[in-house]
Each structure stands twice: as C-alpha cells, then as structure tokens.
Amino acid sequence: MSLDTNSNSSSGSRNSSTGRAQYKIVEHVEDLDRYCPGGYHPIQIGDDLDDGQYRLVDKLGYGGYSTIWLARDLRRARYVAVKAITADASACTPESSLIHSLVKSPSIPGQEIIPRLIDEFWMAGPNGKHRCIVTAPAQMSLLDAKEASVFGLFQPKVAQSVIAQLIRGVAFLHSEGVVHGGNILVQFPTSIDRYSTAELRERFGEPEPEAVVRLDGKPLSNGVPTHVFPPGWFGVRSEEIAFGEEKVILGDFGESFNPHKTPRFSSKTLPLLQPPEARFSDEPLSFASDIWTLACTIWEVLGQRPLFDAFFPNADRVTAEQVEVLGILPPEWWVKWSRRKEWFNEEGELDVKPGTSKGLNCERKTWGQRFDYCIQEPRVEVGLETVTEIERKAFEEMLRSMLVFRPKERATAHQVLHSQWMKEWGQPALEESWNTSRAVPKGEQIK
C-alpha cells in the first residue's frame, strides 16, 4: 500500500548491445522499448475503443505492464479509466477477476474502497492481444495531492476519514485472503461527468504529446506510437480536498496476492514503507506485512512527513530509522544486520560522532518528537487544528501495535478496525463525511 500512483521516470535509449530500438529520451512516460511484440498497445488520445464506446481524452498514468487512460464513455455520458495491459501480461493478469470477486454485498464494511469493474474487453494490435479493464477514474493519488501542496497536509477531518477508509478497506481485503500491496487513489467527484471534453481541457489543460524519435533516424515500426503522453494533472492540493469529497479507492491490484496460495519473499512497496521482515526474515510476507505498510501510510496521511524519514532511503538507512524510533531489532535480525555498528552500539543505542551521523541525528529523535515535528508543528504553522492529547495517545497506541518488529506480534486488521482511535475518531469522521456528501452506499453503515 502506497500513497503513490505510478512510477514516473525518464524513458529513452538503451545500450545498443541489446539490439533493441533506441529512442530520444522522453520524461515521465512509459518505457518506450516496451512498444514491441508482447508489450504496450500503441494507442493515442482521440482513439475510440471497443466498437466506439470509449474515446480516449487524456493519460492518467502508466506502470510496468499497463498504460491508464481517461476516456469518455460515449454511450453513458460519463468518464471512465481504461487500463490497457501489455500483451504478455494480458493472459495471466488476475486483476480483473480479483476485483470482480471482491465486489459482494454493498453492506459489507470496507468494500466501498474497492474499485468497481465497469467493463472488460480485448484489443488486437501489432504487439499482440491486450486485455483492457474499465473502472471509475481516479483524480490523483494521495501522494500527488501532498506533493502539489506547499505544506503537504490534509484538513484534519479529511485525514481522519481517509485513514478510516484505508483501515476498513484493508480489513475487508484481509478477510477475503488478499494482501493489497498497491496504491491509494482519490476518486473524481461525480460532477466531473457534466464536463464535455472541451470543458475538461479548459479546466485542467490540454494533453501534451511528445514525439517518439529513433536515435538512428530510421522510421518507427508499426507497433510504436508516433507520440506518447505524460500523465495529465487533474488533482488538487491536499489541503483543498473538501470534507465529503475525500473518497479513496485502492489501485494496482496487479500487485495483490493471497499469501496462502502465492508465497512472496520480497516487497515492491517504497523503501520507507517496507516492513523489516522483507529484509531480515526467511518467512514469506503475509497480512502482517500489509499492516506495517498501512501504519506508515496512516502516519503520512495525518501529518506532513513520513515516520521513517531517511534521506536517500536505502535499506540500511531505513532500518536505522526503524531502530531509532522503535528500538533494537529482534536478536536474530540484529546479528544479520552487518552495518548496524555504523549507527548503534550492541544495545541498540545511537552511537555516532558529530559530523559522521550517516543520515541520523546525533541525538535520538523519539516517537513523540517525530509526532510534533511531522504532525503538530506543521499544523500550527498553517493554522490547522492540532491533534488533542487524548486522540494523540489513542493514535500512538494504534500505530505502535501495528509497528511491532515481529510480524506474528503485530495487530491484525480486525484489531485495528476496532481500536479506540477508530471508534472515537476515524469512524465518526467517516460517518460525518458520508452524511455531508450524501454518499453513504445503500444499506451501508459504519460497523
């Protein structure tokens, strides 16, 4: 689980020794070399898909095995997201079947965070056959919203509501035997459907095509698009998300798995969110790993900066941050960590000389100090309500139960769902939000 929505990066030429086409570098688009047999489908903004039902109007994002597009459903006068999956992943991806299997009775708490599968169809092209998944469109990721803001904060009740949605959603997924491992997105408000394509672009800007150019000057092959598009920006700054419009959905179910059926031993989440067992344990990752990542995400939603805030976060610096905040690792992990002496003595006490702190302060920054630095002080700076001492205590108790080093000793999603913080702050905020937006799903109640 991550606040982010895609892995924007540069795409361009590779070493000629690979024998593959080389292209002029284009920033913030998918890997151009993956426009090849088995790879991406070369679709463009303006294309009509599935017998003309969906017209592509902009780019929403991309990943290693798909491109995601904002499309107008011409038959139902609404906007949708179309995920076009690479040909080599289309036959084996379980994403659509997983989403479909998770959509059950609307009265099940937490299910509202699962994107609804609107449609599914196939496209044939020069690079193969591609599965396309149609869902409600996401406006932005939570990370997008924070990064667009000068202060990187959500309104207090918005933060409480988002956290409650995440906890409910993860509890639902775990009850269905699913570890999420994907991204967190904010849905478009339903009012977006009233905009024509021209009005949408007047408000959010025109798509910005970038020409695809081979470095050797040869013409493009049939499977390569003439232009690619960086994702458009349809979001708002985090502090501008109105209470009642903070509906989040979980994305990227291609990274989800059932730990009882598919053992995994490595985590693809961002380094600052990765659980320590992904590095030190020989046991496969499971639901407890999701709980660790959820706790780190919850902290970021409530405050401005991450709990583990390593500069250039490689594995050792992240581990050092975890030890600084939570204490010494379990003995069998402690001895495995070969670089521990660069930061700590054998008792787990910070032991660095001034000027050689390797990214850590010379004095230990406690949980309480981090809470003030990451959450309370930024809120005071921008005039937002700070967290009361009663809520702060309940919040810390909930998160510390989720951030126990040994996975088997961590709180379960069910226990987090019934924590004091959820009962007294998270659930009431979510219920108030639903009443504000009149968006309570039929038959749904906070339970």
Side-chain angles (χ1 to χ4, degrees):
M1 174 171 292
S2 166
L3 301 184
D4 202 1
T5 182
N6 60 40
S7 53
N8 287 352
S9 60
S10 302
S11 180
S13 61
R14 291 186 175 185
N15 192 297
S16 59
S17 64
T18 64
R20 301 171 69 180
Q22 295 180 320
Y23 304 94
K24 179 181 176 181
I25 290 176
V26 180
E27 297 285 346
H28 308 306
V29 299
E30 59 274 16
D31 181 357
L32 299 182
D33 284 316
R34 288 286 285 138
Y35 281 104
C36 62
Y40 298 117
H41 185 49
I43 50 181
Q44 303 269 281
I45 289 175
D47 287 354
D48 289 340
L49 310 181
D50 198 26
D51 296 326
Q53 180 169 356
Y54 304 110
R55 177 167 296 165
L56 304 187
V57 299
D58 215 315
K59 178 91 158 284
L60 289 175
Y62 60 89
Y65 71 98
S66 66
T67 52
I68 305 97
W69 304 84
L70 182 66
R72 185 70 173 175
D73 183 342
L74 300 179
R75 296 179 189 171
R76 294 179 173 83
R78 62 183 177 181
Y79 288 99
V80 297
V82 177
K83 175 180 277 192
I85 300 173
T86 57
D88 54 13
S90 288
C92 60
T93 179
E95 182 170 2
S96 59
S97 58
L98 175 59
I99 292 174
H100 183 73
S101 70
L102 290 171
V103 178
K104 302 178 184 296
S105 167
S107 64
I108 299 177
Q111 187 190 234
E112 70 278 357
I113 204 172
I114 308 302
R116 295 298 188 269
L117 183 64
I118 295 173
D119 194 5
E120 186 176 9
F121 60 92
W122 287 79
M123 295 186 299
N127 295 329
K129 291 184 65 178
H130 305 263
R131 185 194 302 266
C132 294
I133 298 171
V134 182
T135 61
Q139 184 176 13
M140 59 197 164
S141 73
L142 286 181
L143 181 61
D144 287 337
K146 285 174 68 75
E147 289 192 336
S149 168
V150 174
F151 300 104
L153 291 166
F154 297 98
Q155 297 288 333
K157 282 193 175 181
V158 168
Q160 291 171 336
S161 171
V162 168
I163 292 169
Q165 292 177 66
L166 295 178
I167 291 172
R168 284 164 55 89
V170 170
F172 168 71
L173 287 177
H174 287 193
S175 72
E176 296 295 316
V178 175
V179 172
H180 177 229
N183 304 317
I184 307 166
L185 310 173
V186 182
Q187 274 196 326
F188 273 108
T190 56
S191 60
I192 194 70
D193 291 333
R194 298 198 296 264
Y195 289 100
S196 67
T197 299
E199 291 169 334
L200 188 80
R201 289 175 176 170
E202 183 178 350
R203 178 167 181 174
F204 294 105
E206 296 278 344
E208 299 180 356
E210 296 277 356
V212 178
V213 179
R214 286 180 58 125
L215 294 177
D216 58 12
K218 293 181 180 180
L220 300 174
S221 68
N222 191 35
V224 181
T226 59
H227 293 81
V228 287
F229 297 84
W233 170 247
F234 300 95
V236 297
R237 292 187 289 267
S238 54
E239 70 272 12
E240 294 177 355
I241 298 177
F243 186 55
E245 294 185 358
E246 72 286 353
K247 178 175 173 51
V248 297
I249 53 174
L250 300 181
D252 228 2
F253 279 85
E255 297 298 332
S256 300
F257 67 100
N258 184 327
H260 300 307
K261 298 178 181 179
T262 309
R264 283 195 184 177
F265 294 87
S266 62
S267 172
K268 293 186 179 180
T269 59
L270 298 173
L272 292 175
L273 307 180
Q274 285 188 11
E277 63 268 24
R279 183 179 188 194
F280 294 109
S281 177
D282 296 327
E283 297 293 320
L285 303 180
S286 189
F287 303 107
S289 305
D290 224 15
I291 292 296
W292 180 284
T293 301
L294 175 61
C296 297
T297 302
I298 286 171
W299 178 284
E300 282 197 64
V301 172
L302 196 69
Q304 184 186 70
R305 301 190 62 80
L307 173 60
F308 308 120
D309 197 14
F311 190 63
F312 292 120
N314 59 31
D316 286 304
R317 285 177 175 170
V318 172
T319 298
E321 284 280 320
Q322 293 170 349
V323 172
E324 185 182 5
V325 178
L326 302 172
I328 195 169
L329 295 170
E332 65 273 22
W333 294 359
W334 186 247
V335 297
K336 277 186 178 181
W337 187 24
S338 59
R339 295 185 62 185
R340 65 187 184 277
K341 293 182 181 179
E342 295 183 19
W343 290 278
F344 305 97
N345 62 26
E346 286 306 315
E347 287 70 45
E349 297 169 340
L350 198 62
D351 185 25
V352 291
K353 297 179 176 61
T356 61
S357 59
K358 299 186 183 296
L360 294 181
N361 294 319
C362 295
E363 294 184 5
R364 196 171 209 134
K365 189 183 292 182
T366 66
W367 178 289
Q369 290 170 328
R370 287 169 189 256
F371 192 94
D372 289 336
Y373 172 70
C374 298
I375 298 173
Q376 299 288 60
E377 292 172 8
R379 286 189 173 194
V380 169
E381 184 178 353
V382 298
L384 293 177
E385 178 184 350
T386 57
V387 180
T388 66
E389 285 301 312
I390 298 175
E391 181 185 356
R392 177 174 179 163
K393 181 179 179 181
F395 184 78
E396 178 176 349
E397 182 179 337
M398 178 179 73
L399 256 64
R400 281 189 176 274
S401 73
M402 303 167 71
L403 293 170
V404 178
F405 279 128
R406 296 186 190 276
K408 293 181 180 178
E409 297 176 7
R410 272 177 221 151
T412 65
H414 180 79
Q415 290 170 328
V416 177
L417 184 64
H418 292 88
S419 65
Q420 181 188 358
W421 186 89
M422 271 295 287
K423 290 178 180 178
E424 297 189 19
W425 288 276
Q427 290 177 351
L430 180 54
E431 188 170 29
E432 183 181 347
S433 172
W434 277 349
N435 291 334
T436 299
S437 63
R438 298 181 180 178
V440 182
K442 185 177 180 181
E444 178 66 279
Q445 293 180 344
I446 303 287
K447 296 184 180 179

